[in-house]
Amino acid sequence: MPTPSGRPPRPHHVSPTVRAAQNRAARAAQLAGRNQVKVDPDFFKRVINLIKTHNRPILAGLAASGLAVAGAAMVVAAVGNASDPRKFFEDRSMWNEMLGDLKLSAWDVWISFFSLISPYWVGHASETVQRYLRFELIGMFDELGRVATEMSTTMTSLAWDVVEYDLKLVSLLVVAGTAFKALLPFRASPVGRLALGATAVTFLSLLASLLQEFAGKIKALDLKLETLGHKIFELRGLFSVGEDKLHLQAPGTDPDLWEPVTKEPREAH
């Protein structure tokens, strides 16, 4: 937007205090990203290796106890739910970075208007844009920030749920695999078959509880993501602002919309 001299205001009109605040906000956003908890990149590899190591005696034990079909299906389902939590932590970091970008963008819009335009121009357009910034646009940025915060929190919950599930699954498989490995040499005896059957039933019961617990957590998170998706859809519509929203002609169509602050007052006739 040009100044009364006909030249656009330069960025150096922003005060050193404002620049320092912008720099602090940018550094804070970068620091928040660096301080995110990170999972050992080899964590999931070790999980997979432990699963492979103990799966064989477990499947052999289930077969010896007569529960090969149902038991193997449950084991496959449980192992299929194991996942690398790093991608969810990366999604969390992405939303945190987006939150920082939103705050900086809102700050830039605010400062750009009140430092580079408002001091030089008055009139209907200036007043309308100022009201819009104060009472609508900044509020929409804040709402987007809240959505980004909730998404980050949801991704954090999902990441740690995956870590917890992986650890519980591996612990259960290690214990069951060790038990089956010790009992398999005695499967020919009645006592050995009885012990194998009891171990198989206990193992599958614990596995079913683990699957049910994990499914409940994922369902709750999925419902939350669904709600956040609706919020994002609504906000997308709010940001699609046109002339009808502002009730304002396009800037420049009427020279009286924008008036330089230093404009000479009109003489009364």
Side-chain angles (χ1 to χ4, degrees):
M1 186 62 61
T3 61
S5 64
R7 298 177 182 176
R10 297 179 181 177
H12 67 255
H13 286 289
V14 179
S15 69
T17 303
V18 170
R19 288 190 177 280
Q22 289 175 316
N23 291 335
R24 285 197 300 272
R27 287 195 299 271
Q30 294 174 355
L31 184 61
R34 289 197 299 267
N35 287 341
Q36 297 297 318
V37 174
K38 296 181 180 179
V39 175
D40 180 358
D42 293 329
F43 168 79
F44 191 58
K45 291 181 181 178
R46 289 195 291 271
V47 168
I48 294 299
N49 289 335
L50 286 170
I51 289 174
K52 290 179 179 178
T53 300
H54 295 278
N55 243 6
R56 185 171 298 176
I58 287 175
L59 295 177
L62 292 173
S65 62
L67 297 172
V69 177
M74 286 186 63
V75 171
V76 170
V79 171
N81 283 336
S83 182
D84 189 347
R86 285 186 304 163
K87 58 184 179 182
F88 302 110
F89 281 113
E90 289 170 359
D91 288 343
R92 186 268 306 273
S93 297
M94 178 193 71
W95 281 101
N96 282 338
E97 291 174 5
M98 193 180 302
L99 176 61
D101 291 341
L102 284 169
K103 290 186 177 296
L104 289 176
S105 297
W107 182 260
D108 286 342
V109 170
W110 187 268
I111 293 302
S112 295
F113 179 80
F114 287 101
S115 294
L116 304 181
I117 298 177
S118 183
Y120 306 97
W121 294 95
V122 294
H124 174 65
S126 180
E127 293 173 359
T128 302
V129 172
Q130 183 176 152
R131 287 197 301 271
Y132 178 70
L133 289 180
R134 285 181 180 274
F135 302 114
E136 293 193 49
L137 186 61
I138 298 302
M140 287 190 284
F141 269 109
D142 290 340
E143 186 61 30
L144 276 176
R146 283 189 283 272
V147 170
T149 300
E150 290 185 49
M151 285 295 296
S152 173
T153 302
T154 303
M155 289 298 104
T156 300
S157 298
L158 181 55
W160 285 113
D161 284 344
V162 168
V163 171
E164 183 181 5
Y165 177 83
D166 288 350
L167 293 175
K168 286 184 176 181
L169 176 64
V170 167
S171 299
L172 182 57
L173 294 180
V174 168
V175 172
T178 303
F180 280 125
K181 190 174 182 179
L183 292 172
L184 279 171
F186 305 100
R187 60 181 176 272
S189 66
V191 175
R193 286 196 300 272
L194 184 62
L196 280 170
T199 302
V201 170
T202 302
F203 165 69
L204 293 178
S205 177
L206 293 173
L207 195 62
S209 297
L210 179 61
L211 286 169
Q212 185 176 7
E213 176 188 356
F214 187 65
K217 291 181 178 180
I218 296 301
K219 178 181 178 181
L221 290 173
D222 183 62
L223 291 174
K224 188 173 182 180
L225 287 172
E226 183 74 9
T227 301
L228 290 173
H230 293 160
K231 286 185 179 180
I232 292 173
F233 181 79
E234 292 172 1
L235 285 170
R236 183 184 300 171
L238 290 176
F239 270 94
S240 300
V241 178
E243 293 178 4
D244 293 338
K245 180 68 176 179
L246 289 175
H247 302 291
L248 158 82
Q249 294 181 14
T253 57
D254 184 346
D256 291 330
L257 284 176
W258 299 92
E259 299 179 10
V261 171
T262 57
K263 181 179 179 181
E264 295 293 334
R266 297 178 181 176
E267 295 181 359
H269 295 286

